[in-house]
Amino acid sequence: MTERVQNWMDGYLRAWESNAPDDIRALFTEEAVYYTAPFREPWRGVDDIVTKWLERKDEPGYASFTWHQVGEDGDRVFIQGETVYSDTTFSNLWMLDFAADGRVASFTEWWMDQSA
């Protein structure tokens, strides 16, 4: 795993816990796209990402998240994660396309409810 990936994931976890707009904004390029499902219309631009993130936010401490990198191809990185809530657990697969400055230009997530 590269330092770039570790730094971004540290920032993601910080933003997830804080829900601070500046923490969220620091993760994404101005024109980033964020796909909440592979074929769903993405959130477009960092302002839209911040707004939609905060509309769906988890409260700090409500869930736990563990992750590891499963692949990398140039500026594209694949992360496998697990999000545990009190009533369900989700398996996650993320595809991150990094910009040269370490922020993400495209984020796509796939997730499955393990309790279903």
Side-chain angles (χ1 to χ4, degrees):
M1 174 181 21
T2 63
E3 184 177 343
R4 164 180 73 170
V5 173
Q6 182 67 56
N7 289 340
W8 194 88
M9 289 301 301
D10 289 346
Y12 182 91
L13 293 172
R14 184 172 38 259
W16 188 43
E17 282 295 317
S18 73
N19 291 309
D22 287 344
D23 289 345
I24 301 164
R25 184 176 301 284
L27 298 170
F28 301 98
T29 63
E30 288 299 315
E31 302 300 321
V33 290
Y34 188 122
Y35 292 87
T36 58
F39 304 107
R40 189 176 294 153
E41 184 63 26
W43 303 343
R44 294 189 180 278
V46 72
D47 291 334
D48 193 36
I49 292 169
V50 169
T51 298
K52 300 265 176 55
W53 177 308
L54 294 174
E55 288 173 357
R56 298 172 45 167
K57 70 182 178 185
D58 287 329
E59 293 303 320
Y62 184 69
S64 64
F65 181 76
T66 56
W67 67 277
H68 64 278
Q69 183 175 333
V70 293
E72 186 167 350
D73 183 18
D75 289 328
R76 179 166 285 168
V77 173
F78 302 91
I79 302 292
Q80 184 175 6
E82 184 174 78
T83 311
V84 179
Y85 294 90
S86 63
D87 59 344
T88 193
T89 299
F90 291 95
S91 293
N92 307 281
L93 179 62
W94 294 352
M95 183 172 66
L96 310 172
D97 290 326
F98 279 88
D101 66 2
R103 295 181 297 164
V104 164
S106 179
F107 178 104
T108 305
E109 61 183 341
W110 290 261
W111 50 269
M112 293 181 289
D113 184 342
Q114 292 183 17
S115 65

